[in-house]
Every structure is written in structure tokens, then in C-alpha cells.
Amino acid sequence: MEKVFLSRFPESFYVWKEVIGRSLSDLWLQDELSRSEKKLLSLGLRCYWAGFPLPYLTGEARFAERIFKVRPGVFLPRQESEVLLEAAEKEIPSNSKVLEIGTGTGAVIISLLLNRADLKGVGLEISSKAAELACENACFYQIGSRLKVINQDFESFSGEKFQAIVCNPPYLSFYEIMALPFSVRYYEPREALDGGESGLEFYYKLSEKVRELLFSGGLLLVEVGKRQSDMVKEVFSPFMSWEKSYFDGLGVERVLVFRLR
Ligand code: GLN
């Protein structure tokens, strides 16, 4: 039975290996499995074929060469966001206190603080599930002393100012949500993806709030969707000057850097 699965669905090699933690060659040569392995494998394959994202099955996702714990209900870190990390690493001045809005698993802010030992951070996260996970990841990487995770929505957050804000907001439009692959549309949290009809709603809310959260001259680094950059520049133009953009590997203008005037 294993061989039929394996030859018909090459992707299942990967599930097999990840789910039961054995190498493919072992499996092929030994051709024997315990009952619990069989159970786990068949559950894993059924979930996977139903579109369930693999990182939720294995409990781990890779981001910028590190592994982060993930869990269903929490948005999975994306490769595009490595551009946000790269921009933040390069642009944020020394010894800054950085706010991340919508921390999710914590992958971006944790990677940033690990790569820049001079920075301190606050991760704001509206979902309690995600905030808990971000704390676990921060604890795993032992940066609890430099990162505070707060389970709160950014609109009601106040009383503190920062030198820089980083954010990967929900930016997909209604049509893009409809066109998402099944595995994203049905299994990942909608609130991390859905930017309203135009995809820009979160940016408008953010633009209302940044002045309160940034010191004057402070930086805002935001991830944007395909073909959104000009519209997002427009949204922030009343209070912020666009300074530069970072592009992803496909040439998409992916991260915008603004400075508060
Ligand atoms: N880039 C993500 C995706 O296509 C969307 C992320 C977001 O809305 N922030 O799944």
C-alpha cells in the first residue's frame, strides 16, 4: 500500500517523512511500520489531501533560516515577509524600540531582534492564540527580556512611542481572497489576510494611528501586495514621506519604508 501511495503522489514522500519522522530510504528499504505510525501517517495524508497546510501538521515553519512553532488558527509566516525582515534590519537605527503590529507567530520581530542585538521590541497581536504562540517562540529563542508580546488590537493600544513600526497587515482584496488556494482560504485565519474590498482597509486604519505611536522622524515599514504600492504610498502621504522600497525575488515592490514628517 505504501508503494502505491508513494508512486502516485510524490508529495506524500514529504508528508510521510515529516509526519513520522523517518527518512524515505529507511521506509523504502525496511517496508514495515508500527500501528501508531500507520495511524499517524494515514491521518496526515488525509488532512494533507484535504488541503490542510503541511506546517500545521508538523507544527513547524521555516522563516529566514530559523524554525518557528506554528499552530492551526495562526497565520503561517511567508517568504515575502523575509523582505520585510531584511528592510527592517537595514533601515532601523541603532538602539531603537520597535513595534510590530500583527505579530502572528512572532517570526518577523523575533528574527529581527535575534539578528540585531541592539534592538528592543513590542509585538502587538489581536489573536490570543497567536499571541500565546509568539510568546512560546520568543521563549524558545530566549529573547523574552527584549521582546514584550501584547495581546491587544493596535487601535486601542496607546501610551508608548517607538522609533520604528513594522507591519505585514492583511492586504488581500475581496477578489484575491476568492482566488486563494484552497489550503490558505479554508485553513488560515481570514483576519490575517483580508484587507476589505479594496485590500487597503488596514492601511487606512494604520495611517490614522501611526502619528500617535511613532516619535517624529520615526520609520514605518509595511509589506504590500502585488500592484498595491502606489495606492499605499497615497494612503500614507498626508503625514509620511515615502523613502524607499524593497523588492521580492519576483521583482514585486513588496516593502515600503516611510518616515513620519
Ligand atoms: N502574502 C500573503 C498571501 O498571499 C498575504 C499576506 C497578507 O495579507 N498580509 O497569502
Side-chain angles (χ1 to χ4, degrees), residues 171-228:
Y171 55 65
L172 300 182
S173 67
F174 176 77
Y175 296 103
E176 287 169 320
I177 294 274
M178 291 300 139
L180 277 174
F182 188 83
S183 61
V184 179
R185 188 162 153 206
Y186 289 100
Y187 294 107
E188 291 205 57
R190 179 67 66 100
E191 58 279 16
L193 294 158
D194 191 343
E197 194 163 342
S198 63
L200 298 173
E201 272 173 25
F202 200 98
Y203 296 108
Y204 279 109
K205 289 186 197 159
L206 196 57
S207 72
E208 297 289 313
K209 187 77 182 179
V210 276
R211 278 172 299 170
E212 192 190 320
L213 297 175
L214 276 180
F215 288 114
S216 95
L219 290 180
L220 169 70
L221 295 95
V222 280
E223 185 175 316
V224 298
K226 271 187 206 156
R227 294 178 292 275
Q228 266 181 342

Side-chain angles (χ1 to χ4, degrees), residues 106-125:
V108 172
I109 190 85
I110 293 171
S111 306
L112 177 63
L113 298 196
L114 287 170
N115 297 349
R116 287 274 310 267
D118 58 309
L119 303 177
K120 284 200 163 101
V122 171
L124 266 187
E125 175 51 60

Side-chain angles (χ1 to χ4, degrees), residues 52-53 55-57 59 69-78 103-106 125-134 151 183-193:
F52 196 67
Y56 288 150
L57 279 175
K69 277 195 199 181
V70 296
R71 229 175 260 147
V74 181
F75 183 65
L76 294 168
R78 298 291 203 271
T103 285
T105 57
E125 175 51 60
I126 190 169
S127 143
S128 55
K129 252 191 197 168
E132 207 174 293
L133 192 64
N151 180 200
S183 61
V184 179
R185 188 162 153 206
Y186 289 100
Y187 294 107
E188 291 205 57
R190 179 67 66 100
E191 58 279 16
L193 294 158

Side-chain angles (χ1 to χ4, degrees), residues 228-241:
Q228 266 181 342
S229 57
D230 287 343
M231 291 180 289
V232 176
K233 285 173 195 165
E234 189 69 35
V235 171
F236 288 101
S237 63
F239 332 105
M240 306 201 81
S241 309

